[in-house]
Amino acid sequence: CRRVVACDINRLHVEMAHHNAVVYQVDSRVEFFCADFLTPPVHTDTHPLPDGIFLSPPWGGPGYTQKKTYDLNSLLPISGFDLLAKARRISKNVALYLPRNVDPSQLVELAKGETCEVEL
């Protein structure tokens, strides 16, 4: 990547990501924002939309491990389906970090005929 935009709602997480970028000497290619992904994306003529998006949404706490399968509709404040749809309006290249026990049929539904890769 030539440029990465890092956005997290938690300022401490943004600071930790910045620290890691410094350690790996890529901080000159990363812009950090403390913001909510669900708000309008940060872009202008000098800050174009990103080529790809990596999302690691909250799964609702440790209780997700108690479920046989994790339902993507459990994500809050919006479902995994709505989250992916919002991300795809910004870039067709989207990676979602999800629990291992996510419902496999929902992963198929998420793909909706798009070329995708699933890694478990």
Side-chain angles (χ1 to χ4, degrees):
C1 291
R2 288 178 284 147
R3 180 176 158 268
V4 173
V5 176
C7 171
D8 198 295
I9 199 166
N10 184 312
R11 179 153 309 278
L12 178 59
H13 293 173
V14 173
E15 291 169 4
M16 291 166 52
H18 182 262
H19 171 77
N20 289 343
V22 170
V23 168
Y24 290 102
Q25 300 175 352
V26 295
D27 55 307
S28 64
R29 297 186 303 185
V30 183
E31 292 181 66
F32 297 90
F33 295 96
C34 184
D36 186 345
F37 176 78
L38 299 176
T39 61
V42 179
H43 69 280
T44 64
D45 291 338
T46 57
H47 297 93
L49 292 173
D51 292 327
I53 298 172
F54 173 83
L55 296 168
S56 181
W59 303 335
Y64 79 90
T65 61
Q66 306 304 313
K67 299 175 183 175
K68 182 176 178 179
T69 56
Y70 183 83
D71 183 352
L72 290 176
N73 292 306
S74 300
L75 289 177
L76 294 175
I78 65 173
S79 76
F81 298 98
D82 292 339
L83 181 63
L84 181 62
K86 183 171 181 65
R88 281 187 172 154
R89 287 194 292 272
I90 298 169
S91 174
K92 67 177 185 166
N93 302 309
V94 179
L96 272 171
Y97 184 66
L98 298 169
R100 290 179 189 248
N101 60 338
V102 68
D103 183 342
S105 67
Q106 289 185 323
L107 291 178
V108 172
E109 189 178 342
L110 274 178
K112 294 184 184 176
E114 298 284 331
T115 300
C116 69
E117 180 178 324
V118 176
E119 190 173 313
L120 299 172

